[in-house]
Amino acid sequence: MEEGDYEGATDAFNRTLAIANRFGDVGLEMRALAQSSTVDFWHLRWEDAVAKGLRIIELASRVEDPISQASARRWVAITLINMGEPNRANPHAAATLVIAKRTRDQYVLATALWFNELLFSYQGDWEAAKVFSEQGLLLSPSDNRMVSSRMLLEYQVGNVAEAREYMERFVEGIQLLPPPPNYDQAAMALKIPLVVQITGDMDLLQIAENAADMVLSASSATPLVSQLARWGLALIAILRGDVKSAREQYSSLILGHTRFVVVSGDRVLGLLSQTMGDSDQAATHFEGALAFCRKAGYRPELAWTCHDYAETLLQRQSPADQAKIMELLEEGISISTDLGMAPLLKNVISLKEREESSLVRGTGYPNGLTEREVEVLRLVAAGRTDREIAEELIIAVRTVTTHVSNILNKTDSANRTEAASYATRQGLA
């Protein structure tokens, strides 16, 4: 694995497993599977990593080996998290923490705390994530994984002063590492552009670009580490509006990209497509990101996808996109409000005001009603419930509720009955 030789590693583990089976050595089988699943994870063989981890869990009742058990639970948990299956990952993440405490191994315990932090951060449960983060940083203050995750969390919720402190610790910590490639340097290449997307501080991109270049220049980088560095270069190209680099990164990432690690792969591809000027291709990728994030319940990433997708459609300036744009923006506002993502909320509101201004000028509907709001109002006037409206318009019930609230505010109506009367008076019913 250290030399980037997946086939060599696999051959060695297969021979080890053959010996373990021949002698009935369950402990050796567990250790071999644990180490083999580690190699599988870093080489993006995630189904294999999960299968081996589950096999170790089966064997755990026969041999007391907490290190192998912790490894098994760890790789099953993080793999399922990245595959967008947090409900399956949750019990393994919790079990990893319990077993890690028995090992009395600081690295194993810090890793278990980090995985639990990631699980809750991806779902937008910042308070739960901070609990695990505080424990991890108390145990291992210089752990770059914990520091960088906390940095991104604080930027997401707008705690800029705290976030900058973690940023400084992260950059200093990376400078103390041995030469790349490793996860921490790849994480720097990816996470700093995500910070720039929030803050707009373009000067930080050079740090990320240097980290990515160092990782990708090393021939022994594992596929996952290489992909994270390339995602970082992709975001740098997007933020700089570098069309040539965007095309290069899209070509590299479109083949065999993962769906999610810190950020949605489809969202990155959508942004690359937007930078390249292909809005149809961008829309396809954004739809993939929306579907993945909704199914996984990764609400912060879903909110960012709504923002980026809406911005892409705004740039396309097609009347046919108007209803879709408003749905995306309203969903983005709803999520970022619920999760306290102040920087994103500000950006989404700005996009929404821009679009509403355009719609008022273009549609001529009274009281600043948008085309989609008029569609919802007609169905309200027809006596439909929010769920029935959602089914007819093929949108989320929560989105319908937001539309109805906007309609009541704009028409100065106290309830749905008054809104229906307004629709009749205006000839909209």
Side-chain angles (χ1 to χ4, degrees):
M1 178 173 168
E2 291 294 331
E3 297 175 354
D5 183 0
Y6 178 79
E7 290 74 18
T10 301
D11 177 64
F13 287 128
N14 286 340
R15 286 186 284 124
T16 304
L17 289 169
I19 294 169
N21 291 331
R22 187 160 69 247
F23 289 95
D25 190 334
V26 177
L28 178 59
E29 181 180 358
M30 287 177 65
R31 291 192 297 277
L33 287 171
Q35 294 167 0
S36 181
S37 66
T38 302
V39 175
D40 286 334
F41 176 81
W42 290 104
H43 284 79
L44 302 176
R45 309 293 181 102
W46 286 354
E47 290 79 6
D48 291 338
V50 171
K52 290 171 184 175
L54 295 176
R55 173 60 178 161
I56 294 169
I57 294 167
E58 289 178 9
L59 297 171
S61 62
R62 298 167 58 184
V63 173
E64 176 62 17
D65 183 356
I67 293 292
S68 293
Q69 289 182 52
S71 178
R73 295 282 188 176
R74 176 169 74 227
W75 296 124
V76 171
I78 191 61
T79 301
L80 291 174
I81 290 171
N82 290 343
M83 291 171 67
E85 301 184 48
N87 291 335
R88 289 181 62 198
N90 208 339
H92 294 291
T96 300
L97 192 53
V98 173
I99 298 167
K101 291 177 180 177
R102 283 170 32 208
T103 68
R104 300 180 183 233
D105 185 300
Q106 180 173 310
Y107 178 81
V108 173
L109 181 54
T111 301
L113 289 165
W114 179 51
F115 283 176
N116 278 274
E117 180 200 352
L118 292 180
L119 180 61
F120 287 101
S121 287
Y122 293 163
Q123 295 172 321
D125 189 342
W126 310 123
E127 293 307 312
K130 283 185 179 182
V131 170
F132 291 110
S133 174
E134 293 293 348
Q135 293 178 38
L137 289 169
L138 185 63
L139 175 69
S140 184
S142 60
D143 190 320
N144 291 312
R145 301 169 302 173
M146 303 290 295
V147 172
S148 64
S149 293
R150 186 60 177 273
M151 170 194 73
L152 198 54
L153 185 158
E154 298 294 357
Y155 272 119
Q156 289 270 40
V157 297
N159 294 334
V160 177
E162 294 90 334
R164 283 176 179 163
E165 290 181 10
Y166 287 109
M167 166 77 82
E168 291 172 3
R169 286 171 60 180
F170 184 36
V171 173
E172 290 172 3
I174 294 295
Q175 293 172 347
L176 300 175
L177 290 175
N182 58 54
Y183 171 81
D184 291 333
Q185 282 135 342
M188 171 172 275
L190 174 60
K191 290 185 179 182
I192 287 185
L194 291 174
V195 167
V196 174
Q197 188 177 36
I198 297 170
T199 67
D201 186 357
M202 298 289 285
D203 292 339
L204 294 172
L205 291 182
Q206 191 59 54
I207 299 173
E209 188 171 26
N210 291 341
D213 289 342
M214 284 192 294
V215 168
L216 295 172
S217 66
S219 59
S220 59
T222 64
L224 178 56
V225 167
S226 295
Q227 186 166 102
L228 294 181
R230 289 205 174 278
W231 280 6
L233 288 178
L235 289 170
I236 291 168
I238 292 159
L239 289 162
R240 289 175 174 167
D242 187 336
V243 176
K244 180 181 178 183
S245 180
R247 288 199 180 101
E248 291 173 357
Q249 298 310 322
Y250 185 90
S251 298
S252 297
L253 291 169
I254 191 61
L255 300 175
H257 75 282
T258 55
R259 299 303 299 272
F260 189 91
V261 181
V262 182
V263 65
S264 163
D266 272 317
R267 178 161 78 94
V268 175
L269 291 171
L271 287 167
L272 284 170
S273 299
Q274 175 198 17
T275 304
M276 293 155 52
D278 192 336
S279 58
D280 290 340
Q281 181 174 275
T284 298
H285 288 302
F286 283 131
E287 288 291 342
L290 289 176
F292 177 88
C293 292
R294 284 174 179 148
K295 181 179 178 182
Y298 293 167
R299 299 182 71 205
E301 184 64 13
L302 176 57
W304 275 104
T305 302
C306 288
H307 169 274
D308 295 344
Y309 191 1
E311 191 170 41
T312 295
L313 295 179
L314 275 166
Q315 291 181 11
R316 187 157 68 177
Q317 295 183 333
S318 170
D321 293 331
Q322 290 175 347
K324 181 72 173 181
I325 290 169
M326 293 307 296
E327 288 169 19
L328 291 166
L329 293 174
E330 284 160 5
E331 186 172 8
I333 288 172
S334 176
I335 296 170
S336 52
T337 300
D338 285 350
L339 302 184
M341 299 170 68
L344 177 60
L345 177 60
K346 180 180 178 181
N347 290 343
V348 181
I349 288 175
S350 177
L351 288 179
K352 186 171 186 283
E353 289 174 347
R354 193 172 100 198
E355 175 63 3
E356 284 182 332
S357 175
S358 172
L359 287 174
V360 169
R361 290 193 305 270
T363 63
Y365 290 126
N367 293 75
L369 291 170
T370 67
E371 186 171 349
R372 178 61 96 186
E373 286 167 351
V374 170
E375 289 179 327
V376 172
L377 178 57
R378 287 182 178 131
L379 293 172
V380 169
R384 306 288 181 84
T385 66
D386 283 4
R387 183 166 297 280
E388 290 170 338
I389 294 171
E391 290 174 356
E392 180 157 340
L393 298 180
I394 317 177
I395 56 178
V397 175
R398 189 168 190 158
T399 302
V400 174
T401 302
T402 300
H403 283 314
V404 172
S405 177
N406 291 339
I407 290 167
L408 296 179
N409 288 332
K410 289 181 178 182
T411 62
D412 197 25
S413 300
N415 49 48
R416 297 168 82 98
T417 301
E418 288 188 14
S421 297
Y422 169 89
T424 300
R425 291 196 306 273
Q426 296 292 334
L428 300 176

